[in-house]
Amino acid sequence: MPAGALGGIVFLAGLALLVWAAGTFRRAGTQIQTTRPTSTIVEEGPYRFTRNPIYIGMFLGLIGVAIAIDSLWLILVLVPFYLVIRYGVVAREEAYLERKFGDVYLAYKARVRRWL
């Protein structure tokens, strides 16, 4: 399979996951933006398998682009991107959700992995 086709498939898989996750949030009536209050813990759709499907979709999309354009530098940029997402965004989100939802979030966190 040509790299462009493989990259396109990976990119579309990431986009599909991101759209599925965002739609699941909307149907649950909660916010997607990390700067707005969360109204509920979403445990349906892709959130049954991972607590962060939107970020996984973003990573897959970037990996797909990197494969399609044969870009090693883009793959290398994913390392600091991951670190910023993991420690700058996800850590804050998790602390906020623990404060806001307490045991409900802790039970969800115990059942569902952060990534995959």
mmCIF file of all heavy atoms in Angstrom, residues 19-70:
data_model
loop_
_atom_site.group_PDB
_atom_site.id
_atom_site.type_symbol
_atom_site.label_atom_id
_atom_site.label_comp_id
_atom_site.label_asym_id
_atom_site.label_seq_id
_atom_site.Cartn_x
_atom_site.Cartn_y
_atom_site.Cartn_z
ATOM 1 N N VAL A 19 -14.756 12.929 15.605
ATOM 2 C CA VAL A 19 -16.146 13.307 15.342
ATOM 3 C C VAL A 19 -17.094 12.489 16.212
ATOM 4 O O VAL A 19 -18.068 13.029 16.771
ATOM 5 C CB VAL A 19 -16.463 13.148 13.834
ATOM 6 C CG1 VAL A 19 -17.952 13.250 13.561
ATOM 7 C CG2 VAL A 19 -15.694 14.189 13.023
ATOM 8 N N TRP A 20 -16.842 11.193 16.346
ATOM 9 C CA TRP A 20 -17.667 10.326 17.189
ATOM 10 C C TRP A 20 -17.652 10.823 18.633
ATOM 11 O O TRP A 20 -18.695 10.943 19.292
ATOM 12 C CB TRP A 20 -17.169 8.885 17.079
ATOM 13 C CG TRP A 20 -17.964 7.856 17.822
ATOM 14 C CD1 TRP A 20 -19.271 7.907 18.192
ATOM 15 C CD2 TRP A 20 -17.481 6.589 18.283
ATOM 16 N NE1 TRP A 20 -19.635 6.746 18.865
ATOM 17 C CE2 TRP A 20 -18.554 5.929 18.926
ATOM 18 C CE3 TRP A 20 -16.249 5.950 18.212
ATOM 19 C CZ2 TRP A 20 -18.433 4.665 19.487
ATOM 20 C CZ3 TRP A 20 -16.129 4.689 18.764
ATOM 21 C CH2 TRP A 20 -17.203 4.050 19.397
ATOM 22 N N ALA A 21 -16.460 11.140 19.138
ATOM 23 C CA ALA A 21 -16.316 11.606 20.519
ATOM 24 C C ALA A 21 -17.021 12.946 20.724
ATOM 25 O O ALA A 21 -17.741 13.138 21.706
ATOM 26 C CB ALA A 21 -14.839 11.710 20.883
ATOM 27 N N ALA A 22 -16.819 13.880 19.801
ATOM 28 C CA ALA A 22 -17.456 15.194 19.917
ATOM 29 C C ALA A 22 -18.979 15.061 19.854
ATOM 30 O O ALA A 22 -19.699 15.718 20.627
ATOM 31 C CB ALA A 22 -16.948 16.120 18.818
ATOM 32 N N GLY A 23 -19.482 14.216 18.971
ATOM 33 C CA GLY A 23 -20.925 13.987 18.885
ATOM 34 C C GLY A 23 -21.485 13.377 20.159
ATOM 35 O O GLY A 23 -22.586 13.725 20.600
ATOM 36 N N THR A 24 -20.729 12.481 20.761
ATOM 37 C CA THR A 24 -21.151 11.862 22.017
ATOM 38 C C THR A 24 -21.235 12.913 23.117
ATOM 39 O O THR A 24 -22.188 12.917 23.912
ATOM 40 C CB THR A 24 -20.175 10.730 22.409
ATOM 41 O OG1 THR A 24 -20.116 9.775 21.345
ATOM 42 C CG2 THR A 24 -20.614 10.031 23.679
ATOM 43 N N PHE A 25 -20.271 13.822 23.170
ATOM 44 C CA PHE A 25 -20.316 14.924 24.138
ATOM 45 C C PHE A 25 -21.553 15.784 23.906
ATOM 46 O O PHE A 25 -22.259 16.139 24.841
ATOM 47 C CB PHE A 25 -19.062 15.794 24.001
ATOM 48 C CG PHE A 25 -18.032 15.567 25.060
ATOM 49 C CD1 PHE A 25 -17.845 14.346 25.676
ATOM 50 C CD2 PHE A 25 -17.207 16.610 25.445
ATOM 51 C CE1 PHE A 25 -16.884 14.162 26.646
ATOM 52 C CE2 PHE A 25 -16.236 16.434 26.418
ATOM 53 C CZ PHE A 25 -16.082 15.213 27.012
ATOM 54 N N ARG A 26 -21.796 16.155 22.649
ATOM 55 C CA ARG A 26 -22.945 17.011 22.345
ATOM 56 C C ARG A 26 -24.257 16.345 22.755
ATOM 57 O O ARG A 26 -25.129 16.994 23.341
ATOM 58 C CB ARG A 26 -22.971 17.359 20.856
ATOM 59 C CG ARG A 26 -22.017 18.459 20.502
ATOM 60 C CD ARG A 26 -22.248 18.981 19.085
ATOM 61 N NE ARG A 26 -21.013 19.578 18.632
ATOM 62 C CZ ARG A 26 -20.095 18.965 17.888
ATOM 63 N NH1 ARG A 26 -20.285 17.730 17.480
ATOM 64 N NH2 ARG A 26 -18.989 19.577 17.541
ATOM 65 N N ARG A 27 -24.409 15.051 22.429
ATOM 66 C CA ARG A 27 -25.637 14.341 22.795
ATOM 67 C C ARG A 27 -25.813 14.269 24.315
ATOM 68 O O ARG A 27 -26.939 14.258 24.807
ATOM 69 C CB ARG A 27 -25.654 12.938 22.188
ATOM 70 C CG ARG A 27 -26.020 12.936 20.710
ATOM 71 C CD ARG A 27 -26.224 11.542 20.155
ATOM 72 N NE ARG A 27 -25.035 10.696 20.224
ATOM 73 C CZ ARG A 27 -23.989 10.782 19.415
ATOM 74 N NH1 ARG A 27 -23.963 11.695 18.466
ATOM 75 N NH2 ARG A 27 -22.964 9.971 19.539
ATOM 76 N N ALA A 28 -24.711 14.227 25.044
ATOM 77 C CA ALA A 28 -24.781 14.190 26.513
ATOM 78 C C ALA A 28 -25.054 15.573 27.093
ATOM 79 O O ALA A 28 -25.311 15.709 28.290
ATOM 80 C CB ALA A 28 -23.480 13.626 27.084
ATOM 81 N N GLY A 29 -24.970 16.613 26.248
ATOM 82 C CA GLY A 29 -25.252 17.969 26.699
ATOM 83 C C GLY A 29 -24.135 18.609 27.488
ATOM 84 O O GLY A 29 -24.371 19.511 28.278
ATOM 85 N N THR A 30 -22.908 18.161 27.265
ATOM 86 C CA THR A 30 -21.776 18.753 27.980
ATOM 87 C C THR A 30 -20.854 19.464 26.993
ATOM 88 O O THR A 30 -20.995 19.327 25.776
ATOM 89 C CB THR A 30 -21.031 17.695 28.818
ATOM 90 O OG1 THR A 30 -20.166 18.368 29.730
ATOM 91 C CG2 THR A 30 -20.241 16.734 27.960
ATOM 92 N N GLN A 31 -19.935 20.224 27.533
ATOM 93 C CA GLN A 31 -19.049 21.050 26.720
ATOM 94 C C GLN A 31 -17.850 20.270 26.185
ATOM 95 O O GLN A 31 -17.288 19.435 26.890
ATOM 96 C CB GLN A 31 -18.524 22.230 27.555
ATOM 97 C CG GLN A 31 -19.605 23.153 28.033
ATOM 98 C CD GLN A 31 -20.298 23.867 26.892
ATOM 99 O OE1 GLN A 31 -19.682 24.274 25.925
ATOM 100 N NE2 GLN A 31 -21.600 24.011 27.021
ATOM 101 N N ILE A 32 -17.435 20.594 24.971
ATOM 102 C CA ILE A 32 -16.225 20.024 24.392
ATOM 103 C C ILE A 32 -15.022 20.898 24.766
ATOM 104 O O ILE A 32 -13.950 20.399 25.067
ATOM 105 C CB ILE A 32 -16.347 19.909 22.860
ATOM 106 C CG1 ILE A 32 -17.446 18.908 22.516
ATOM 107 C CG2 ILE A 32 -15.027 19.517 22.229
ATOM 108 C CD1 ILE A 32 -17.801 18.855 21.052
ATOM 109 N N GLN A 33 -15.220 22.208 24.773
ATOM 110 C CA GLN A 33 -14.132 23.138 25.077
ATOM 111 C C GLN A 33 -13.640 22.921 26.500
ATOM 112 O O GLN A 33 -14.439 22.877 27.434
ATOM 113 C CB GLN A 33 -14.580 24.603 24.924
ATOM 114 C CG GLN A 33 -15.020 24.969 23.547
ATOM 115 C CD GLN A 33 -16.500 24.711 23.314
ATOM 116 O OE1 GLN A 33 -17.189 24.139 24.151
ATOM 117 N NE2 GLN A 33 -16.994 25.102 22.170
ATOM 118 N N THR A 34 -12.320 22.817 26.634
ATOM 119 C CA THR A 34 -11.736 22.548 27.950
ATOM 120 C C THR A 34 -11.821 23.748 28.887
ATOM 121 O O THR A 34 -11.612 23.603 30.076
ATOM 122 C CB THR A 34 -10.272 22.111 27.817
ATOM 123 O OG1 THR A 34 -9.532 23.160 27.178
ATOM 124 C CG2 THR A 34 -10.152 20.831 27.017
ATOM 125 N N THR A 35 -12.148 24.918 28.345
ATOM 126 C CA THR A 35 -12.237 26.117 29.184
ATOM 127 C C THR A 35 -13.651 26.377 29.693
ATOM 128 O O THR A 35 -13.869 27.318 30.430
ATOM 129 C CB THR A 35 -11.771 27.350 28.386
ATOM 130 O OG1 THR A 35 -12.580 27.467 27.204
ATOM 131 C CG2 THR A 35 -10.305 27.226 28.006
ATOM 132 N N ARG A 36 -14.613 25.509 29.317
ATOM 133 C CA ARG A 36 -15.993 25.676 29.747
ATOM 134 C C ARG A 36 -16.358 24.585 30.748
ATOM 135 O O ARG A 36 -15.803 23.494 30.698
ATOM 136 C CB ARG A 36 -16.919 25.618 28.536
ATOM 137 C CG ARG A 36 -16.409 26.552 27.444
ATOM 138 C CD ARG A 36 -17.290 27.520 26.783
ATOM 139 N NE ARG A 36 -18.550 27.862 27.293
ATOM 140 C CZ ARG A 36 -19.644 27.903 26.538
ATOM 141 N NH1 ARG A 36 -19.584 27.587 25.272
ATOM 142 N NH2 ARG A 36 -20.777 28.280 27.057
ATOM 143 N N PRO A 37 -17.308 24.838 31.634
ATOM 144 C CA PRO A 37 -17.675 23.847 32.655
ATOM 145 C C PRO A 37 -18.241 22.559 32.054
ATOM 146 O O PRO A 37 -18.981 22.592 31.077
ATOM 147 C CB PRO A 37 -18.744 24.559 33.484
ATOM 148 C CG PRO A 37 -18.643 25.996 33.145
ATOM 149 C CD PRO A 37 -18.048 26.088 31.778
ATOM 150 N N THR A 38 -17.882 21.451 32.656
ATOM 151 C CA THR A 38 -18.407 20.145 32.276
ATOM 152 C C THR A 38 -19.650 19.874 33.106
ATOM 153 O O THR A 38 -19.655 20.127 34.312
ATOM 154 C CB THR A 38 -17.345 19.062 32.553
ATOM 155 O OG1 THR A 38 -16.183 19.374 31.807
ATOM 156 C CG2 THR A 38 -17.834 17.690 32.177
ATOM 157 N N SER A 39 -20.699 19.342 32.462
ATOM 158 C CA SER A 39 -21.938 19.119 33.202
ATOM 159 C C SER A 39 -22.160 17.664 33.588
ATOM 160 O O SER A 39 -22.990 17.379 34.441
ATOM 161 C CB SER A 39 -23.134 19.615 32.383
ATOM 162 O OG SER A 39 -23.198 18.928 31.148
ATOM 163 N N THR A 40 -21.417 16.744 32.977
ATOM 164 C CA THR A 40 -21.615 15.328 33.278
ATOM 165 C C THR A 40 -20.377 14.527 32.878
ATOM 166 O O THR A 40 -19.593 14.973 32.050
ATOM 167 C CB THR A 40 -22.863 14.782 32.553
ATOM 168 O OG1 THR A 40 -23.141 13.472 33.024
ATOM 169 C CG2 THR A 40 -22.686 14.752 31.048
ATOM 170 N N ILE A 41 -20.248 13.349 33.458
ATOM 171 C CA ILE A 41 -19.212 12.404 33.033
ATOM 172 C C ILE A 41 -19.832 11.569 31.911
ATOM 173 O O ILE A 41 -20.847 10.919 32.118
ATOM 174 C CB ILE A 41 -18.760 11.493 34.198
ATOM 175 C CG1 ILE A 41 -18.169 12.321 35.334
ATOM 176 C CG2 ILE A 41 -17.772 10.443 33.704
ATOM 177 C CD1 ILE A 41 -16.933 13.101 34.978
ATOM 178 N N VAL A 42 -19.228 11.604 30.749
ATOM 179 C CA VAL A 42 -19.735 10.867 29.593
ATOM 180 C C VAL A 42 -19.064 9.493 29.581
ATOM 181 O O VAL A 42 -17.841 9.402 29.577
ATOM 182 C CB VAL A 42 -19.461 11.632 28.283
ATOM 183 C CG1 VAL A 42 -19.940 10.837 27.078
ATOM 184 C CG2 VAL A 42 -20.121 13.006 28.330
ATOM 185 N N GLU A 43 -19.888 8.449 29.574
ATOM 186 C CA GLU A 43 -19.369 7.078 29.614
ATOM 187 C C GLU A 43 -19.843 6.243 28.435
ATOM 188 O O GLU A 43 -19.695 5.030 28.444
ATOM 189 C CB GLU A 43 -19.806 6.404 30.925
ATOM 190 C CG GLU A 43 -19.298 7.120 32.160
ATOM 191 C CD GLU A 43 -19.651 6.389 33.433
ATOM 192 O OE1 GLU A 43 -19.361 5.184 33.534
ATOM 193 O OE2 GLU A 43 -20.227 7.038 34.327
ATOM 194 N N GLU A 44 -20.413 6.891 27.425
ATOM 195 C CA GLU A 44 -20.922 6.177 26.259
ATOM 196 C C GLU A 44 -20.013 6.403 25.064
ATOM 197 O O GLU A 44 -19.060 7.155 25.133
ATOM 198 C CB GLU A 44 -22.346 6.666 25.948
ATOM 199 C CG GLU A 44 -23.347 6.222 26.985
ATOM 200 C CD GLU A 44 -24.268 7.330 27.405
ATOM 201 O OE1 GLU A 44 -24.333 8.346 26.710
ATOM 202 O OE2 GLU A 44 -24.902 7.187 28.451
ATOM 203 N N GLY A 45 -20.358 5.739 23.955
ATOM 204 C CA GLY A 45 -19.580 5.894 22.728
ATOM 205 C C GLY A 45 -18.129 5.521 22.964
ATOM 206 O O GLY A 45 -17.831 4.560 23.686
ATOM 207 N N PRO A 46 -17.214 6.291 22.416
ATOM 208 C CA PRO A 46 -15.798 5.958 22.567
ATOM 209 C C PRO A 46 -15.292 6.116 24.003
ATOM 210 O O PRO A 46 -14.247 5.580 24.357
ATOM 211 C CB PRO A 46 -15.092 6.932 21.625
ATOM 212 C CG PRO A 46 -16.021 8.092 21.522
ATOM 213 C CD PRO A 46 -17.398 7.497 21.612
ATOM 214 N N TYR A 47 -16.060 6.818 24.831
ATOM 215 C CA TYR A 47 -15.671 7.025 26.225
ATOM 216 C C TYR A 47 -15.823 5.754 27.056
ATOM 217 O O TYR A 47 -15.418 5.724 28.209
ATOM 218 C CB TYR A 47 -16.462 8.195 26.834
ATOM 219 C CG TYR A 47 -16.119 9.488 26.153
ATOM 220 C CD1 TYR A 47 -16.862 9.947 25.074
ATOM 221 C CD2 TYR A 47 -15.007 10.220 26.538
ATOM 222 C CE1 TYR A 47 -16.525 11.113 24.413
ATOM 223 C CE2 TYR A 47 -14.657 11.391 25.887
ATOM 224 C CZ TYR A 47 -15.414 11.823 24.830
ATOM 225 O OH TYR A 47 -15.058 12.970 24.165
ATOM 226 N N ARG A 48 -16.362 4.698 26.472
ATOM 227 C CA ARG A 48 -16.389 3.387 27.135
ATOM 228 C C ARG A 48 -15.009 2.749 27.106
ATOM 229 O O ARG A 48 -14.706 1.890 27.922
ATOM 230 C CB ARG A 48 -17.368 2.439 26.437
ATOM 231 C CG ARG A 48 -18.810 2.822 26.579
ATOM 232 C CD ARG A 48 -19.677 1.923 25.746
ATOM 233 N NE ARG A 48 -19.337 2.196 24.338
ATOM 234 C CZ ARG A 48 -19.800 1.529 23.308
ATOM 235 N NH1 ARG A 48 -20.608 0.509 23.496
ATOM 236 N NH2 ARG A 48 -19.466 1.853 22.081
ATOM 237 N N PHE A 49 -14.182 3.146 26.125
ATOM 238 C CA PHE A 49 -12.888 2.505 25.887
ATOM 239 C C PHE A 49 -11.696 3.356 26.312
ATOM 240 O O PHE A 49 -10.632 2.826 26.616
ATOM 241 C CB PHE A 49 -12.741 2.168 24.403
ATOM 242 C CG PHE A 49 -13.938 1.471 23.835
ATOM 243 C CD1 PHE A 49 -14.793 2.120 22.977
ATOM 244 C CD2 PHE A 49 -14.233 0.163 24.208
ATOM 245 C CE1 PHE A 49 -15.916 1.483 22.457
ATOM 246 C CE2 PHE A 49 -15.355 -0.482 23.705
ATOM 247 C CZ PHE A 49 -16.190 0.181 22.824
ATOM 248 N N THR A 50 -11.850 4.669 26.271
ATOM 249 C CA THR A 50 -10.768 5.594 26.601
ATOM 250 C C THR A 50 -11.365 6.881 27.160
ATOM 251 O O THR A 50 -12.436 7.304 26.722
ATOM 252 C CB THR A 50 -9.889 5.917 25.376
ATOM 253 O OG1 THR A 50 -8.962 6.956 25.724
ATOM 254 C CG2 THR A 50 -10.704 6.376 24.182
ATOM 255 N N ARG A 51 -10.668 7.486 28.107
ATOM 256 C CA ARG A 51 -11.150 8.747 28.669
ATOM 257 C C ARG A 51 -10.819 9.937 27.779
ATOM 258 O O ARG A 51 -11.321 11.032 28.000
ATOM 259 C CB ARG A 51 -10.548 8.961 30.063
ATOM 260 C CG ARG A 51 -10.949 7.888 31.052
ATOM 261 C CD ARG A 51 -10.611 8.217 32.492
ATOM 262 N NE ARG A 51 -9.307 8.710 32.781
ATOM 263 C CZ ARG A 51 -8.285 7.979 33.230
ATOM 264 N NH1 ARG A 51 -8.436 6.679 33.410
ATOM 265 N NH2 ARG A 51 -7.125 8.537 33.500
ATOM 266 N N ASN A 52 -9.982 9.724 26.750
ATOM 267 C CA ASN A 52 -9.514 10.840 25.934
ATOM 268 C C ASN A 52 -9.575 10.560 24.427
ATOM 269 O O ASN A 52 -8.585 10.738 23.717
ATOM 270 C CB ASN A 52 -8.081 11.197 26.336
ATOM 271 C CG ASN A 52 -8.004 11.704 27.749
ATOM 272 O OD1 ASN A 52 -8.452 12.793 28.038
ATOM 273 N ND2 ASN A 52 -7.458 10.896 28.647
ATOM 274 N N PRO A 53 -10.735 10.174 23.906
ATOM 275 C CA PRO A 53 -10.786 9.849 22.481
ATOM 276 C C PRO A 53 -10.539 11.039 21.556
ATOM 277 O O PRO A 53 -10.026 10.858 20.444
ATOM 278 C CB PRO A 53 -12.192 9.273 22.288
ATOM 279 C CG PRO A 53 -12.988 9.871 23.390
ATOM 280 C CD PRO A 53 -12.032 9.990 24.545
ATOM 281 N N ILE A 54 -10.868 12.245 21.985
ATOM 282 C CA ILE A 54 -10.618 13.410 21.133
ATOM 283 C C ILE A 54 -9.119 13.586 20.928
ATOM 284 O O ILE A 54 -8.652 13.802 19.807
ATOM 285 C CB ILE A 54 -11.273 14.677 21.714
ATOM 286 C CG1 ILE A 54 -12.800 14.547 21.613
ATOM 287 C CG2 ILE A 54 -10.780 15.931 20.998
ATOM 288 C CD1 ILE A 54 -13.587 15.671 22.253
ATOM 289 N N TYR A 55 -8.343 13.467 21.999
ATOM 290 C CA TYR A 55 -6.888 13.615 21.864
ATOM 291 C C TYR A 55 -6.292 12.469 21.056
ATOM 292 O O TYR A 55 -5.382 12.678 20.254
ATOM 293 C CB TYR A 55 -6.224 13.717 23.237
ATOM 294 C CG TYR A 55 -6.711 14.901 24.038
ATOM 295 C CD1 TYR A 55 -7.134 14.756 25.342
ATOM 296 C CD2 TYR A 55 -6.783 16.164 23.470
ATOM 297 C CE1 TYR A 55 -7.596 15.832 26.074
ATOM 298 C CE2 TYR A 55 -7.252 17.248 24.180
ATOM 299 C CZ TYR A 55 -7.650 17.077 25.482
ATOM 300 O OH TYR A 55 -8.116 18.158 26.192
ATOM 301 N N ILE A 56 -6.805 11.257 21.236
ATOM 302 C CA ILE A 56 -6.322 10.124 20.442
ATOM 303 C C ILE A 56 -6.625 10.373 18.969
ATOM 304 O O ILE A 56 -5.783 10.115 18.102
ATOM 305 C CB ILE A 56 -6.929 8.795 20.930
ATOM 306 C CG1 ILE A 56 -6.399 8.471 22.324
ATOM 307 C CG2 ILE A 56 -6.610 7.662 19.956
ATOM 308 C CD1 ILE A 56 -7.076 7.288 22.983
ATOM 309 N N GLY A 57 -7.818 10.891 18.678
ATOM 310 C CA GLY A 57 -8.162 11.230 17.301
ATOM 311 C C GLY A 57 -7.213 12.259 16.713
ATOM 312 O O GLY A 57 -6.800 12.158 15.551
ATOM 313 N N MET A 58 -6.839 13.258 17.522
ATOM 314 C CA MET A 58 -5.881 14.265 17.068
ATOM 315 C C MET A 58 -4.528 13.625 16.757
ATOM 316 O O MET A 58 -3.921 13.908 15.714
ATOM 317 C CB MET A 58 -5.718 15.353 18.137
ATOM 318 C CG MET A 58 -6.939 16.213 18.312
ATOM 319 S SD MET A 58 -6.916 17.264 19.799
ATOM 320 C CE MET A 58 -5.411 18.167 19.612
ATOM 321 N N PHE A 59 -4.051 12.757 17.656
ATOM 322 C CA PHE A 59 -2.764 12.079 17.431
ATOM 323 C C PHE A 59 -2.808 11.229 16.171
ATOM 324 O O PHE A 59 -1.884 11.268 15.356
ATOM 325 C CB PHE A 59 -2.391 11.200 18.628
ATOM 326 C CG PHE A 59 -1.900 11.955 19.825
ATOM 327 C CD1 PHE A 59 -2.640 11.979 20.997
ATOM 328 C CD2 PHE A 59 -0.703 12.650 19.788
ATOM 329 C CE1 PHE A 59 -2.196 12.671 22.115
ATOM 330 C CE2 PHE A 59 -0.252 13.354 20.897
ATOM 331 C CZ PHE A 59 -1.002 13.369 22.058
ATOM 332 N N LEU A 60 -3.879 10.455 16.005
ATOM 333 C CA LEU A 60 -3.994 9.621 14.806
ATOM 334 C C LEU A 60 -4.015 10.471 13.549
ATOM 335 O O LEU A 60 -3.394 10.116 12.538
ATOM 336 C CB LEU A 60 -5.250 8.749 14.872
ATOM 337 C CG LEU A 60 -5.195 7.543 15.787
ATOM 338 C CD1 LEU A 60 -6.565 6.868 15.859
ATOM 339 C CD2 LEU A 60 -4.137 6.558 15.315
ATOM 340 N N GLY A 61 -4.743 11.575 13.591
ATOM 341 C CA GLY A 61 -4.773 12.477 12.436
ATOM 342 C C GLY A 61 -3.390 12.984 12.075
ATOM 343 O O GLY A 61 -2.997 12.981 10.903
ATOM 344 N N LEU A 62 -2.637 13.405 13.072
ATOM 345 C CA LEU A 62 -1.282 13.903 12.816
ATOM 346 C C LEU A 62 -0.354 12.790 12.337
ATOM 347 O O LEU A 62 0.488 13.020 11.450
ATOM 348 C CB LEU A 62 -0.719 14.570 14.069
ATOM 349 C CG LEU A 62 -1.372 15.905 14.433
ATOM 350 C CD1 LEU A 62 -0.911 16.364 15.809
ATOM 351 C CD2 LEU A 62 -1.070 16.954 13.383
ATOM 352 N N ILE A 63 -0.492 11.611 12.890
ATOM 353 C CA ILE A 63 0.317 10.475 12.422
ATOM 354 C C ILE A 63 -0.030 10.168 10.968
ATOM 355 O O ILE A 63 0.864 9.920 10.145
ATOM 356 C CB ILE A 63 0.111 9.244 13.323
ATOM 357 C CG1 ILE A 63 0.750 9.487 14.693
ATOM 358 C CG2 ILE A 63 0.687 7.986 12.680
ATOM 359 C CD1 ILE A 63 0.352 8.483 15.762
ATOM 360 N N GLY A 64 -1.316 10.202 10.631
ATOM 361 C CA GLY A 64 -1.732 9.958 9.257
ATOM 362 C C GLY A 64 -1.147 10.967 8.294
ATOM 363 O O GLY A 64 -0.659 10.607 7.213
ATOM 364 N N VAL A 65 -1.157 12.240 8.666
ATOM 365 C CA VAL A 65 -0.560 13.277 7.821
ATOM 366 C C VAL A 65 0.933 13.029 7.674
ATOM 367 O O VAL A 65 1.489 13.111 6.571
ATOM 368 C CB VAL A 65 -0.831 14.692 8.387
ATOM 369 C CG1 VAL A 65 -0.005 15.743 7.678
ATOM 370 C CG2 VAL A 65 -2.315 15.027 8.297
ATOM 371 N N ALA A 66 1.599 12.697 8.771
ATOM 372 C CA ALA A 66 3.046 12.439 8.731
ATOM 373 C C ALA A 66 3.371 11.286 7.789
ATOM 374 O O ALA A 66 4.331 11.352 7.011
ATOM 375 C CB ALA A 66 3.578 12.150 10.135
ATOM 376 N N ILE A 67 2.574 10.221 7.836
ATOM 377 C CA ILE A 67 2.793 9.080 6.949
ATOM 378 C C ILE A 67 2.535 9.491 5.504
ATOM 379 O O ILE A 67 3.322 9.183 4.603
ATOM 380 C CB ILE A 67 1.889 7.890 7.353
ATOM 381 C CG1 ILE A 67 2.324 7.329 8.710
ATOM 382 C CG2 ILE A 67 1.925 6.802 6.277
ATOM 383 C CD1 ILE A 67 1.332 6.336 9.311
ATOM 384 N N ALA A 68 1.436 10.195 5.276
ATOM 385 C CA ALA A 68 1.044 10.577 3.913
ATOM 386 C C ALA A 68 2.079 11.463 3.241
ATOM 387 O O ALA A 68 2.335 11.319 2.047
ATOM 388 C CB ALA A 68 -0.316 11.265 3.931
ATOM 389 N N ILE A 69 2.680 12.371 4.015
ATOM 390 C CA ILE A 69 3.664 13.283 3.409
ATOM 391 C C ILE A 69 5.100 12.846 3.685
ATOM 392 O O ILE A 69 6.033 13.573 3.366
ATOM 393 C CB ILE A 69 3.433 14.748 3.850
ATOM 394 C CG1 ILE A 69 3.681 14.941 5.345
ATOM 395 C CG2 ILE A 69 2.039 15.213 3.445
ATOM 396 C CD1 ILE A 69 3.631 16.386 5.813
ATOM 397 N N ASP A 70 5.244 11.655 4.298
ATOM 398 C CA ASP A 70 6.556 11.081 4.580
ATOM 399 C C ASP A 70 7.432 12.064 5.366
ATOM 400 O O ASP A 70 8.522 12.432 4.961
ATOM 401 C CB ASP A 70 7.248 10.663 3.285
ATOM 402 C CG ASP A 70 8.465 9.790 3.542
ATOM 403 O OD1 ASP A 70 8.524 9.130 4.598
ATOM 404 O OD2 ASP A 70 9.375 9.780 2.683
#
